[in-house]
Amino acid sequence: GENVEQHPSTLSVQEGDSAVIKCTYSDSASNYFPWYKQELGKRPQLIIDIRSNVGEKKDQRIAVTLNKTAKHFSLHITETQPEDSAVYFCAAVKGGGADGLTFGKGTHLIIQP
Amino acid sequence: DGGITQSPKYLFRKEGQNVTLSCEQNLNHDAMYWYRQDPGQGLRLIYYSQIVNDFQKGDIAEGYSVSREKKESFPLTVTSAQKNPTAFYLCASSIFLSVYSNQPQHFGDGTRLSIL
């Protein structure tokens, strides 16, 4: 089955700096890659996603890049703010329709004031 | 998302007891999912259902059972066979457009299950 590795497990950055979280996946058939933000005790919330026919996608301060050849994708957050502090999860799924996601173990992002 | 309701928010299970977690959605989504989250871990897929009266096992289905009798409801039963049930359980749903395109999954607020 699919395996998703996520690094780093903890990331501390100064407010205003950029943060990058990286994930690798094992199944070359995977074609949909969402990113979720989860605050303590809350539900995961979708912040951005990318499909395998696209190399990069941006939404304001957030961007995701995908390298299908290397089987890795990354989340980029620019101009970080205190409210960006949370745990971020990457995920991958193959096939089509409505299959379940395989998640990475998460990155705890800490924004230092 | 306000359209996915999980209940109860907290649940306690005694040894040898089965408990059922509720998940209801009013988004008219076709697919529904159950994930388990342990402290400091990512989410792991328990079961999922793409249409009514059909469901598939995920990566950690042992000790769990589900039903999908109605489109809006996907209850999860944690049986006594699940020896380590303490976790945060999250239900999600998504629309189904085609077999070629996965759609975003949106989550409920979760149920926290503990052992007495």
Side-chain angles (χ1 to χ4, degrees):
Chain A
E2 174 65 279
N3 182 50
V4 176
E5 299 282 342
Q6 183 172 348
H7 299 280
S9 57
T10 303
L11 178 60
S12 181
V13 301
Q14 289 294 123
E15 182 179 349
D17 288 349
S18 296
V20 180
I21 301 170
K22 300 181 179 181
C23 289
T24 60
Y25 60 98
S26 61
D27 193 334
S28 57
S30 288
N31 58 10
Y32 176 65
F33 308 91
W35 285 88
Y36 287 86
K37 175 183 180 181
Q38 187 179 32
E39 297 177 359
L40 189 63
K42 300 273 184 78
R43 71 177 79 186
Q45 293 193 305
L46 180 71
I47 55 172
I48 197 166
D49 57 10
I50 191 167
R51 302 185 187 279
S52 59
N53 59 347
V54 175
E56 183 176 3
K57 183 177 179 181
K58 290 183 179 179
D59 183 3
Q60 299 182 2
R61 297 187 296 109
I62 294 174
V64 57
T65 58
L66 172 65
N67 183 328
K68 287 190 296 182
T69 303
K71 290 189 285 187
H72 68 71
F73 56 113
S74 300
L75 177 71
H76 304 254
I77 305 174
T78 59
E79 301 173 7
T80 53
Q81 301 169 2
E83 53 266 36
D84 294 330
S85 294
V87 179
Y88 291 80
F89 293 97
C90 63
V93 63
K94 68 177 179 181
D99 294 329
L101 296 167
T102 299
F103 283 83
K105 292 190 175 181
T107 296
H108 185 193
L109 177 61
I110 302 166
I111 308 300
Q112 302 279 6
Chain B
D1 291 358
I4 303 172
T5 303
Q6 289 188 242
S7 62
K9 189 171 183 178
Y10 298 97
L11 187 58
F12 298 91
R13 195 191 89 169
K14 295 180 181 179
E15 293 290 337
Q17 185 181 46
N18 292 354
V19 292
T20 298
L21 285 60
S22 171
C23 179
E24 304 276 332
Q25 53 96 4
N26 61 4
L27 302 169
N28 199 33
H29 283 177
D30 306 280
M32 297 186 74
Y33 312 81
W34 276 105
Y35 294 90
R36 168 180 171 143
Q37 185 174 30
D38 293 284
Q41 299 294 315
L43 286 69
R44 292 183 290 167
L45 181 66
I46 305 173
Y47 269 99
Y48 64 105
S49 169
Q50 299 177 342
I51 57 173
V52 174
N53 293 323
D54 188 39
F55 47 83
Q56 288 78 41
K57 291 182 179 180
D59 300 319
I60 56 166
E62 186 175 350
Y64 300 97
S65 66
V66 293
S67 62
R68 187 84 187 279
E69 297 177 1
K70 298 185 296 182
K71 186 176 183 178
E72 59 270 24
S73 179
F74 191 40
L76 173 74
T77 296
V78 184
T79 75
S80 57
Q82 173 50 245
K83 298 306 179 187
N84 185 24
T86 298
F88 189 42
Y89 290 86
L90 288 155
C91 177
S93 69
S94 69
I95 61 173
F96 177 80
L97 291 182
S98 81
V99 295
Y100 303 108
S101 176
N102 283 286
Q103 297 303 311
Q105 294 182 21
H106 299 279
F107 287 84
D109 285 330
T111 292
R112 200 166 295 276
L113 175 63
S114 301
I115 298 299
L116 286 177

